Amino acid sequence: MSEKLINQTADLHGGNIYKASKQYGISEEAFLDYSANINPLGVPEELKETILRSIELLSNYPDPECHLLRRHISEYLNINPDEIIIGNGAAEIIFLLLEELKPKKVIIPSPTFMEYERAAKKVGAEARHHEIKESAGFRLEVNELINHIDDDTDCIILCNPNNPTSSLTNPDDLIKLIEFAYRKEITVIIDETFIELTVGGNTNSMVKHLNEWSNLIIIRAFTKLFAIPGLRVGYGLGNKELIKRLWDRKIPWSVNCFASISGMLLKNETGYFDRTATWISEEIEQFYNELCKVDKFHVFKPHTNFVLMRIKGISFNSHTLKEALASKGVLIRDASNFRFLNDKFIRVAIKDRNSNDRFMEILDDVLKG
Amino acid sequence: MSEKLINQTADLHGGNIYKASKQYGISEEAFLDYSANINPLGVPEELKETILRSIELLSNYPDPECHLLRRHISEYLNINPDEIIIGNGAAEIIFLLLEELKPKKVIIPSPTFMEYERAAKKVGAEARHHEIKESAGFRLEVNELINHIDDDTDCIILCNPNNPTSSLTNPDDLIKLIEFAYRKEITVIIDETFIELTVGGNTNSMVKHLNEWSNLIIIRAFTKLFAIPGLRVGYGLGNKELIKRLWDRKIPWSVNCFASISGMLLKNETGYFDRTATWISEEIEQFYNELCKVDKFHVFKPHTNFVLMRIKGISFNSHTLKEALASKGVLIRDASNFRFLNDKFIRVAIKDRNSNDRFMEILDDVLKG
């Protein structure tokens, strides 16, 4: 029975690949999932082995204060455990933060991850979208954003690198923004969920500036980095006073027993980070160059493991291209429902070389089709 | 490294047994944990095996709407999947419900589980405690509760069977309460987290009355029943309109990939429910009778897998008795911090016969001191 159940589950889980597999009669294994942007190195073996060996943890309540996870993150990022809140994925952190901060008006540079707006609206805040312009290659122009900030703004939420644009804002620009916001008593929340999947990794992070700016909050997760969206581990970094209030507000035991041991992955004892860095440094540029050769797309320069593209000069739109690719065994993300985008935009993951080569072949096929 | 980490984790997890093991130099295996009241049959083998075989689910986003779990619960309780909300343990359901209902004044029959009060206060509600009296054997007297309800009460939260009193309120009395509350437009939330661990199990539940009363909400969890507090699976049952609003409000993906397959346990294919029912029907009465023979306690009649006791006629209080038992390898719950109780009250789990016999021997030892 269990095998059957696993398949049923898989079918219902987020992975469109299961539905698509049935719909198009292509086996799951043969499918290329370019719609999800998690680390293609897959779940670290070390984590799988540890879960298998510690299955009895199921019968213990998780540590509600996640001391072990905080210790690991503290050592990894060289920050104080009191500056760390742990949650059930980045999602819990986003909602918890907005609940605690109760902002009146939130500026959200967009297109971006849609849960920021949902969280802002949930607490009754006005969500104002600052357009990240295609004319700027979908890179955030911080001066423009600063000009957009009016007196009743009390919070800014941005994603860096940003989803779905894959653009990275440099630390100097971000400091300019944080400094401006600090003077205006505006909180700046930076979601760095993809930061380890950029060339340079944590050197692009604002973590090292955390103690300089009390208005800076950083959101992180293990989801993309370790390819474990099923496990649910996210965290927030900020000043001790705020973090204390978040712990007081948080629902107890939201981080499950297996999630609570996943911090061991941060030690890089099996070289997972090194292999990730090698893949990032080789494949982002390589895949971007390959995509640029296809004259049917405008390809926006990616800074992390996915790429935003605009279809041009062909009759496909994002829906029909998605359908056409799915029928050949490739799933992509139709990006038309992101704010300020339209049905000419798609988002495509960047994976290992073999998969990327196969993606290019199939794309070529479909476009010739 | 992983083995070491598992031990570190265990040390930090809720289980006091790890701390106590170190403190008293008694091995964890030799310790009897009578402080936690989960099913002593332990984590069902079927679940462990399924997790081991479906470890790759880690790399999939969990189904945010938990269709598979809802289907299993729907079949188990014969209710519509649209009447089910799934959460990260009962805790998420409690907080989510209070957030959505936004009551002004909540009546909480007490002593009881402390998160109800915390959730009520979090949404700014007044939490009023209706005392469940020792003179009534800590059984809820529904007529008294009804008399206690004033015009500005808009919500009642009760736990049935109740923690820490282990008392069960019968369905007829509950219907009287729900009917009264219905006429007054008061929501009644009944936490049935322990209901399957009573003699009669689901026959004591209000689930069958769910469709008769739109003001009735039931909270459940897999935590106690399947001994899986580490996994985090709770659920709420109520009218479709409310459940829809809860799904809309809920943080996405809060139920992890392994939690989402645990509904298979409800099918009782390995006889876990039958073995649980046998244990319940034999050991609650047996252990109660044994405890009653000890003249140093007033023992309140238990209806589920734990028992509340008041220390009498000896110099021990709840703290010193807890310490004395821990030094002999038994952990109990000092119940002094529950509202309306004091430092003469302890709560003790009910486990399998061998453990219970050993508990009685050690208790005897300590009392003879």
Side-chain angles (χ1 to χ4, degrees):
Chain A
M1 186 200 69
S2 297
E3 290 295 354
K4 193 173 120 218
L5 269 159
I6 294 166
N7 288 332
Q8 284 176 356
T9 308
D11 182 44
L12 291 163
H13 272 232
N16 299 314
I17 202 158
Y18 305 101
K19 281 178 200 157
S21 164
K22 281 187 180 164
Q23 192 178 343
Y24 296 100
I26 297 166
S27 78
E28 286 168 21
E29 297 71 33
F31 242 108
L32 285 181
D33 187 1
Y34 272 67
S35 69
N37 38 26
I38 59 173
N39 193 332
L41 295 181
V43 183
E45 286 303 319
E46 188 187 8
L47 178 64
K48 290 192 230 172
E49 285 162 19
T50 305
I51 290 176
L52 300 187
R53 273 184 294 165
S54 50
I55 195 83
E56 296 298 337
L57 283 180
L58 285 169
S59 61
N60 296 334
Y61 272 88
D63 170 16
E65 292 171 338
C66 305
H67 288 92
L68 184 65
L69 252 173
R70 283 202 275 171
R71 196 198 306 160
H72 284 134
I73 293 168
S74 159
E75 288 164 8
Y76 170 58
L77 293 176
N78 193 27
I79 52 172
N80 192 307
D82 293 343
E83 295 167 336
I84 307 169
I85 173 90
I86 313 278
N88 183 294
E92 185 182 8
I93 304 293
I94 294 167
F95 282 82
L96 189 63
L97 263 174
L98 275 279
E99 268 181 29
E100 178 59 37
L101 296 170
K102 286 190 188 58
K104 296 269 183 293
K105 185 169 182 175
V106 181
I107 292 193
I108 305 172
S110 305
T112 195
F113 185 51
M114 290 177 239
E115 293 296 324
Y116 311 143
E117 179 178 353
R118 198 169 152 245
K121 288 188 170 165
K122 190 179 167 190
V123 299
E126 180 191 341
R128 187 166 162 194
H129 300 275
H130 168 80
E131 183 171 358
I132 304 174
K133 295 210 177 92
E134 181 177 351
S135 59
F138 285 115
R139 302 197 65 160
L140 178 65
E141 298 196 329
V142 165
N143 286 334
E144 275 194 24
L145 173 58
I146 287 173
N147 288 335
H148 196 169
I149 297 169
D150 49 16
D151 283 343
D152 52 349
T153 298
D154 49 3
C155 183
I156 298 165
I157 308 180
L158 60 89
C159 186
N160 193 49
N162 188 39
N163 176 12
T165 62
S166 199
S167 63
L168 183 71
T169 306
N170 71 56
D172 289 347
D173 279 352
L174 288 176
I175 285 174
K176 196 189 295 180
L177 174 67
I178 296 162
E179 191 169 19
F180 176 87
Y182 181 81
R183 291 198 309 268
K184 298 268 188 181
E185 296 182 6
I186 297 169
T187 303
V188 179
I189 301 173
I190 302 182
D191 180 347
E192 294 191 347
T193 300
F194 290 97
I195 203 84
E196 285 113 330
L197 301 181
T198 59
V199 175
N202 281 324
T203 62
N204 297 314
S205 169
M206 297 308 285
V207 166
K208 55 186 163 298
H209 300 288
L210 203 62
N211 289 311
E212 297 162 35
W213 304 104
S214 59
N215 64 325
L216 171 62
I217 300 164
I218 295 170
I219 296 172
R220 293 272 195 126
F222 290 0
T223 308
K224 316 293 182 181
L225 172 60
F226 297 123
I228 48 176
L231 193 59
R232 318 306 306 136
V233 192
Y235 56 105
L237 310 171
N239 69 74
K240 285 180 195 183
E241 292 68 31
L242 173 67
I243 294 296
K244 167 78 168 61
R245 298 204 314 271
L246 295 176
W247 278 111
D248 288 345
R249 174 177 289 276
K250 189 172 153 25
I251 295 170
W253 311 294
S254 74
V255 178
N256 70 76
C257 61
F258 302 128
S260 69
I261 58 175
S262 59
M264 66 177 188
L265 297 171
L266 297 172
K267 296 203 169 185
N268 194 29
E269 293 193 355
T270 62
Y272 189 90
F273 277 86
D274 301 333
R275 281 179 286 128
T276 298
T278 303
W279 155 65
I280 284 289
S281 70
E282 291 173 358
E283 299 310 326
I284 293 179
E285 187 71 19
Q286 162 75 18
F287 194 49
Y288 171 65
N289 290 336
E290 288 302 311
L291 287 167
C292 284
K293 291 178 191 163
V294 184
D295 64 0
K296 307 300 185 201
F297 297 110
H298 187 91
V299 186
F300 300 94
K301 192 163 172 53
H303 290 89
T304 184
N305 66 325
F306 53 88
V307 54
L308 182 69
M309 306 198 285
R310 180 169 46 73
I311 305 162
K312 63 177 187 185
I314 44 173
S315 60
F316 280 117
N317 63 28
S318 56
H319 319 299
T320 55
L321 183 58
K322 180 183 169 183
E323 286 293 305
L325 285 165
S327 72
K328 302 268 186 187
V330 173
L331 281 181
I332 61 165
R333 172 72 152 88
D334 170 2
S336 62
N337 65 336
F338 282 98
R339 189 170 294 264
F340 302 125
L341 301 188
N342 58 42
D343 71 356
K344 286 293 179 183
F345 286 91
I346 60 168
R347 192 194 68 194
V348 168
I350 300 175
K351 295 189 178 285
D352 58 285
R353 181 72 58 95
N354 282 345
S355 301
N356 292 343
D357 286 349
R358 208 171 131 228
F359 175 90
M360 291 308 302
E361 282 167 25
I362 294 170
L363 181 66
D364 200 47
D365 252 23
V366 164
L367 293 176
K368 278 179 185 154
Chain B
M1 184 199 71
S2 298
E3 290 295 353
K4 194 174 120 219
L5 269 160
I6 294 166
N7 289 334
Q8 284 175 355
T9 308
D11 183 44
L12 291 162
H13 272 233
N16 299 313
I17 200 157
Y18 305 100
K19 281 178 201 157
S21 165
K22 281 186 182 165
Q23 192 177 345
Y24 297 99
I26 297 166
S27 79
E28 286 169 23
E29 297 70 32
F31 243 108
L32 285 182
D33 187 0
Y34 272 66
S35 70
N37 37 26
I38 60 173
N39 192 332
L41 295 181
V43 183
E45 285 303 319
E46 188 185 9
L47 178 64
K48 290 192 229 172
E49 286 163 19
T50 306
I51 289 176
L52 300 186
R53 272 184 295 165
S54 50
I55 195 83
E56 296 298 336
L57 283 180
L58 285 168
S59 61
N60 295 335
Y61 273 88
D63 170 16
E65 293 171 338
C66 305
H67 288 93
L68 184 64
L69 253 173
R70 284 202 275 172
R71 195 198 307 159
H72 283 132
I73 293 167
S74 159
E75 288 165 8
Y76 169 58
L77 293 176
N78 193 27
I79 53 172
N80 193 306
D82 293 343
E83 295 166 337
I84 307 169
I85 174 88
I86 313 279
N88 183 294
E92 185 183 8
I93 304 294
I94 294 167
F95 281 82
L96 189 65
L97 263 173
L98 275 279
E99 268 181 30
E100 179 58 37
L101 296 170
K102 287 190 187 57
K104 295 271 183 293
K105 185 169 182 174
V106 181
I107 292 193
I108 305 172
S110 303
T112 195
F113 185 51
M114 290 178 240
E115 293 296 323
Y116 310 142
E117 178 178 351
R118 195 167 155 246
K121 288 187 170 166
K122 189 179 168 190
V123 300
E126 179 191 342
R128 187 168 162 193
H129 299 275
H130 168 80
E131 184 172 358
I132 304 174
K133 295 209 177 91
E134 181 178 351
S135 59
F138 285 116
R139 301 197 65 160
L140 178 65
E141 297 195 331
V142 165
N143 287 334
E144 273 194 24
L145 173 59
I146 287 174
N147 288 336
H148 196 169
I149 297 169
D150 48 16
D151 283 345
D152 52 350
T153 298
D154 49 4
C155 184
I156 299 165
I157 309 179
L158 59 90
C159 186
N160 195 48
N162 187 38
N163 178 11
T165 61
S166 198
S167 63
L168 183 71
T169 306
N170 71 56
D172 289 348
D173 278 352
L174 288 175
I175 285 174
K176 197 190 291 179
L177 173 67
I178 296 161
E179 192 169 16
F180 176 87
Y182 181 81
R183 289 198 311 268
K184 298 268 186 182
E185 295 183 6
I186 297 170
T187 302
V188 179
I189 301 173
I190 302 181
D191 180 345
E192 295 190 346
T193 299
F194 290 97
I195 203 85
E196 286 113 330
L197 301 181
T198 58
V199 175
N202 281 324
T203 62
N204 297 314
S205 168
M206 298 308 286
V207 166
K208 54 184 164 301
H209 301 289
L210 203 61
N211 288 311
E212 296 162 33
W213 304 104
S214 60
N215 63 325
L216 171 62
I217 300 164
I218 295 170
I219 296 172
R220 293 272 196 125
F222 290 180
T223 308
K224 316 292 182 181
L225 172 59
F226 297 123
I228 48 176
L231 193 60
R232 320 304 306 136
V233 192
Y235 56 105
L237 310 171
N239 68 73
K240 285 180 197 182
E241 292 68 31
L242 172 67
I243 294 296
K244 167 80 168 60
R245 298 204 315 269
L246 295 176
W247 279 111
D248 289 345
R249 174 177 288 276
K250 191 173 151 26
I251 294 170
W253 312 294
S254 74
V255 178
N256 70 75
C257 61
F258 301 129
S260 71
I261 58 175
S262 59
M264 65 178 191
L265 296 172
L266 297 172
K267 296 204 169 184
N268 194 28
E269 293 193 355
T270 62
Y272 189 90
F273 277 86
D274 301 334
R275 282 180 285 128
T276 298
T278 303
W279 156 66
I280 284 289
S281 70
E282 291 172 359
E283 300 309 327
I284 293 179
E285 186 71 18
Q286 162 75 19
F287 194 50
Y288 171 65
N289 290 336
E290 289 301 311
L291 287 168
C292 284
K293 291 177 192 164
V294 184
D295 64 358
K296 307 300 184 201
F297 298 110
H298 187 90
V299 186
F300 300 95
K301 193 165 171 52
H303 289 89
T304 183
N305 66 325
F306 53 88
V307 54
L308 182 69
M309 307 198 284
R310 182 169 46 73
I311 304 163
K312 62 176 187 187
I314 44 172
S315 61
F316 280 117
N317 63 27
S318 57
H319 317 299
T320 54
L321 183 58
K322 181 183 167 183
E323 285 293 307
L325 284 166
S327 72
K328 304 267 185 186
V330 173
L331 281 180
I332 61 165
R333 172 72 151 87
D334 170 2
S336 62
N337 65 336
F338 282 99
R339 191 171 292 265
F340 302 125
L341 300 188
N342 59 43
D343 71 356
K344 287 293 180 183
F345 287 90
I346 60 168
R347 192 194 68 195
V348 167
I350 300 175
K351 296 191 179 283
D352 59 283
R353 181 73 57 96
N354 283 344
S355 301
N356 293 342
D357 286 349
R358 208 171 129 227
F359 175 90
M360 291 308 303
E361 282 166 26
I362 294 171
L363 181 66
D364 200 46
D365 254 22
V366 163
L367 293 177
K368 278 179 185 154

